[in-house]
């Protein structure tokens, strides 16, 4: 069903085989059957979500047996991003795969932007702290966004208490 997708497909025969291939290939999405030999999908999912290198890979759980609301809830609590009951059709599978990949790509972009902003904030904080005079950085509305220790000492206040206050 996924051969028409513009993607590389890697298959595994059981949960352990899946884990091995995930470490080797670092996929964008994992479709994981609940019932498999050697190691079932839930066991594999638990391992994937505990590992720093694989925890953010989205997992779509697929099952023909464990189809109750409680099963869905359990799979989601372990870390599945979605749940697909067998039998399913090509259109439903394609739509879910496309949406999960879009969501995952958006999340990666947001994480990268957040990391960049954190780095810029660290640079600005270091720069402000390096100035040997009282310095305050505020919004146009006069709300303290950042200040250095010299400014906090001048006011005899902890600088964390000044953040968010009106100047």
């Amino acid at each position: 069903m996924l051969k028409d997708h513009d993607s590389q497909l890697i298959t595994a025969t059981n949960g352990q085989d899946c884990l091995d291939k995930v470490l080797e290939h670092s996929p964008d999405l994992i479709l994981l059957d609940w019932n498999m030999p050697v190691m079932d999908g839930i066991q594999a999912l638990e391992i994937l979500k505990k590992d720093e290198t694989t925890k953010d890979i989205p997992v779509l759980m697929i099952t023909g047996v464990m189809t109750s609301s409680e099963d869905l809830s359990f799979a989601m609590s372990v870390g599945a991003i979605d749940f697909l009951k067998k039998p399913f059709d090509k259109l439903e599978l394609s739509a879910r795969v496309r949406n999960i990949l879009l969501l995952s790509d958006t999340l990666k972009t947001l994480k990268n932007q957040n990391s960049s902003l954190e780095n810029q904030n660290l640079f600005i904080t270091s720069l402000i702290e390096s100035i040997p005079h009282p310095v305050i950085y505020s919004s146009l509305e006069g709300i303290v966004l950042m200040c250095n220790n010299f400014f906090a000492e001048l006011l005899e206040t902890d600088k964390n208490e000044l953040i968010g206050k009106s100047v």
Side-chain angles (χ1 to χ4, degrees), residues 133-164:
H133 305 286
V135 176
I136 183 172
Y137 176 61
S138 68
S139 68
L140 294 174
E141 295 81 23
I143 305 298
V144 176
L145 300 174
M146 195 179 301
C147 66
N148 67 2
N149 287 323
F150 290 105
F151 184 81
E153 288 171 10
L154 181 69
L155 297 179
E156 297 177 349
T157 308
D158 180 58
K159 73 179 188 177
N160 291 325
E161 291 179 25
L162 297 170
I163 308 299

Side-chain angles (χ1 to χ4, degrees), residues 111-123:
K111 282 183 177 184
N112 288 338
Q113 289 173 344
N114 187 50
S115 178
S116 176
L117 287 172
E118 286 175 353
N119 288 337
Q120 291 172 15
N121 192 32
L122 279 172
F123 174 75

Side-chain angles (χ1 to χ4, degrees), residues 5 15 27 29 65 80 85 88 96 108 121 143 156 158 167:
H5 270 262
L29 170 64
V65 179
K85 297 176 187 176
F88 51 84
R96 291 199 190 204
K108 285 177 190 173
N121 192 32
I143 305 298
E156 297 177 349
D158 180 58
V167 178

Side-chain angles (χ1 to χ4, degrees), residues 37-133:
V38 182
M39 177 188 297
D40 69 33
I42 290 295
Q43 291 170 317
L45 178 60
E46 288 173 332
I47 292 168
L48 288 166
K49 294 304 170 181
K50 287 179 184 173
D51 187 327
E52 277 299 311
T53 60
T54 59
K55 71 177 185 170
D56 291 330
I57 301 171
V59 176
L60 172 61
M61 286 300 296
I62 299 174
T63 183
V65 179
M66 310 301 283
T67 59
S68 72
S69 296
E70 292 80 18
D71 295 328
L72 166 63
S73 177
F74 179 67
M76 301 295 259
S77 73
V78 174
I81 195 166
D82 204 352
F83 191 88
L84 194 56
K85 297 176 187 176
K86 293 178 189 176
F88 51 84
D89 63 35
K90 184 177 181 176
L91 181 62
E92 182 179 16
L93 176 63
S94 180
R96 291 199 190 204
V97 166
R98 184 181 64 251
N99 289 339
I100 291 170
L101 289 173
L102 179 62
L103 178 64
S104 178
D105 189 46
T106 302
L107 184 60
K108 285 177 190 173
T109 299
L110 287 173
K111 282 183 177 184
N112 288 338
Q113 289 173 344
N114 187 50
S115 178
S116 176
L117 287 172
E118 286 175 353
N119 288 337
Q120 291 172 15
N121 192 32
L122 279 172
F123 174 75
I124 292 169
T125 301
S126 298
L127 188 62
I128 287 175
E129 283 299 335
S130 70
I131 299 171
H133 305 286

Side-chain angles (χ1 to χ4, degrees), residues 14-26:
N14 60 62
Q16 184 59 56
D17 189 27
C18 169
L19 294 176
D20 295 341
K21 290 187 178 184
V22 165
L23 292 175
E24 181 181 345
H25 298 283
S26 190

